[in-house]
Amino acid sequence: MNTIIEELSKLFCEAFTKAGYKADLGRVVISARPDLCQYQVNGAMGGAKLYHKAPMMIAQDVVAAIPENEIIKNVAVVNPGFINISVKDSYIADYMQQMLMGTDCGFKKTAQPQKVVLDYGGPNVAKTLHVGHLRSAVIGDALKRINRFYGNQVIADAHLGDYGLQMGLIIHELFLRQPELPYFDENYQGEYPKQAPFTLKDLGEIYPTASAKSKEDEQYLAAARLATVQLQQGRRGYYALWQHIMNISLPDLRHNYARLEVDFDYWLRESDAKSYIPAMVEKMKQDGHAYISEGALVVDVKEESDTQPIPPCIILKSDGSAIYETTDLATLVQREQDFAPDRVIYVVDKRQFLHFERVFRCAKKTGIVRPNTELSFIGFGTVNGKDGKPFKTRSGGTMKLADMIDMVQAAVHIKDEENLSQAEVQQLKQTIGLAAIKYGDLMNPTESSYIFDLDKFTSFEGNTGPYILYTMVRIKSILAKLNQTGKAVTSPRFAAFSCDSERDLALALVRFSHTVSEAAKKDAPSIICSYIYEVANKFNIFYHDKKILAETDTTALSSLVALISLTLNILNICTNLLGFKAPEKM
Ligand code: ARG
């Protein structure tokens, strides 16, 4: 289905043309003053400059030229040249009827689908997920769902970090603790033990310890670096340790993402790009892009328009080792070869902006990606505590993601808990808790930081995930009650509105397709959050005004059922796009 904005725009583009002005001035937008009108056209102001004519006059010419139509109820020209539009109730009702009958509430998929690789998650192996991993997972997963709904083909890749210094740090720390292990004996020829010399819990302690030591002790850092190079060069014992780390860490990562109900098509790792590195490096050298600077192999990526110094992109360090830039570039080689995407999106902490800026420039300059491949960095802000500093446990430690989920679920209040089985309560807490976490995150503009406020996020009132679910459950229970009392409406039909709050809700519902498209085009799940909050609020005002269950007139009841069914369908789609769902009861 075309959106109402598209339908109105057609009329106004025609009117601008007929009146002798450029057609594209007739683009319709949603009213900035819903108290005055529903839609508006601002093109007369733009036309004033082009045609040296007062905008009021242009607007009047245009209004006189609007073709015959079934859509518009009122148009008004107001200072300094706005054209204010209201649409007929009957048109809105017909439009909603089509939404209700159509698939995806009438959403029309894009006519230009893109193939998109979506890089999100991105945890380093060897440590369990913590709060710092939340946003990439939640935002990336929502973007995946939104892009698919929009009509794009999405390839979701977790891009696990397993090739950098963190591996060398673990290996070196382990060496200091247990030098007698065969992994460290270069002359050892036999098989390595099947059993890892550490557990997941050990790893969780080894890595931070090693990382802290490396920041204070240069020699320690140098040794960890050497271990990293040797691992990359394929030193047998280190490779065996790497495998142990992967074997222990991967199931834990998968388990944690599953608890978040976040998934990937590919669980590729940085190290999966290693076979692409030699040819990539060779080509960069041959093409004259890469040169040696202070021992390292680098590619210049600064541009004349830069307002800050952009250091060269380091391809190989002086010890020959691959770093973060190297694996990201080689991964682009792999993605180009395997998927040839139109676009690659990276959902990463915004502090990594410069890294990606350099990688993108280097990939374009050296021809790793085609000139029109779109490389997008979607940088997100931090999850903070109430003190405005990065969120921590009470004792000041890093909050594990699993503990955070537990904490939120424990804080979710379930009504009627006594009358439910333990499994039901657990399921409800899981469903509502996820909505609290994901909505609390996604409602913020991606680049902003936000305060993780447990009480607020889990509240059933206000701008929260549970409030949205509560509204959906309310609609489900009205429909269920109608069923139980033999008043179910089998093929609901929209009719005249019975009150203003009903029209207000309807006007929000008809904006569904436009809103989802905007969210997709702007990579902004927050647009969908604001939208469903508005829909939920308008529904609840309407619910307060109108006693649906008491309606005795069958035509009126049918229309009310159509309206609340469409509301529920839209909320179902939108929450699904955000990565959560409503329970049957709560
Ligand atoms: N592993 C990285 C980190 O922990 C994030 C990976 C983001 N994705 C990427 N292609 N670099 O900082």
Side-chain angles (χ1 to χ4, degrees), residues 119 122-124 159 161 270 324 328 346 348 352 355-356:
D119 181 315
N124 290 339
H159 198 71
E270 288 172 345
Y324 195 34
D328 263 329
Y346 297 82
V348 187
Q352 292 195 22
H355 164 78
F356 283 98

Side-chain angles (χ1 to χ4, degrees), residues 283-317:
K283 183 167 181 304
M284 285 176 175
K285 283 188 194 159
Q286 265 172 20
D287 293 348
H289 290 307
Y291 66 95
I292 302 287
S293 166
E294 295 173 31
L297 186 71
V298 305
V299 171
D300 278 331
V301 291
K302 57 177 186 292
E303 286 167 9
E304 247 171 59
S305 54
D306 289 338
T307 51
Q308 53 166 319
I310 305 282
C313 192
I314 299 177
I315 310 299
L316 290 176
K317 287 196 6 187

Side-chain angles (χ1 to χ4, degrees), residues 62-133:
V62 168
V63 167
I66 299 171
E68 194 71 37
N69 68 83
E70 280 307 307
I71 310 179
I72 297 173
K73 181 167 89 185
N74 284 326
V75 268
V77 173
V78 298
N79 258 323
F82 293 112
I83 304 174
N84 288 352
I85 312 161
S86 294
V87 170
K88 287 183 186 163
D89 282 357
S90 57
Y91 181 77
I92 297 172
D94 285 347
Y95 191 86
M96 287 194 295
Q97 189 70 36
Q98 285 184 55
M99 288 178 80
L100 186 63
M101 315 283 276
T103 38
D104 294 340
C105 294
F107 187 83
K108 190 174 64 186
K109 293 203 185 295
T110 174
Q112 285 107 26
Q114 282 190 315
K115 190 191 269 188
V116 180
V117 168
L118 195 53
D119 181 315
Y120 63 101
N124 290 339
V125 299
K127 52 182 180 186
T128 194
L129 294 186
H130 57 76
V131 58
H133 294 110

Side-chain angles (χ1 to χ4, degrees), residues 345-404:
I345 304 178
Y346 297 82
V347 186
V348 187
D349 188 312
K350 69 177 174 192
R351 286 169 292 189
Q352 292 195 22
F353 168 77
L354 201 53
H355 164 78
F356 283 98
E357 185 58 30
R358 286 153 69 215
V359 166
F360 292 175
R361 288 183 184 191
C362 183
K364 287 262 151 118
K365 180 173 181 180
T366 60
I368 289 176
V369 298
R370 287 154 296 146
N372 49 2
T373 306
E374 204 184 327
L375 300 174
S376 312
F377 174 67
I378 299 191
F380 51 80
T382 315
V383 183
N384 290 331
K386 284 191 180 157
D387 57 359
K389 300 210 185 92
F391 193 81
K392 295 269 183 226
T393 58
R394 238 175 240 205
S395 55
T398 308
M399 170 73 92
K400 286 188 190 141
L401 194 62
D403 293 342
M404 179 184 233

Side-chain angles (χ1 to χ4, degrees), residues 43-61:
M45 267 78 74
K49 282 182 218 105
L50 282 174
Y51 300 103
H52 305 291
K53 206 165 172 184
M56 284 300 274
M57 283 171 70
I58 298 180
Q60 272 147 7
D61 292 348

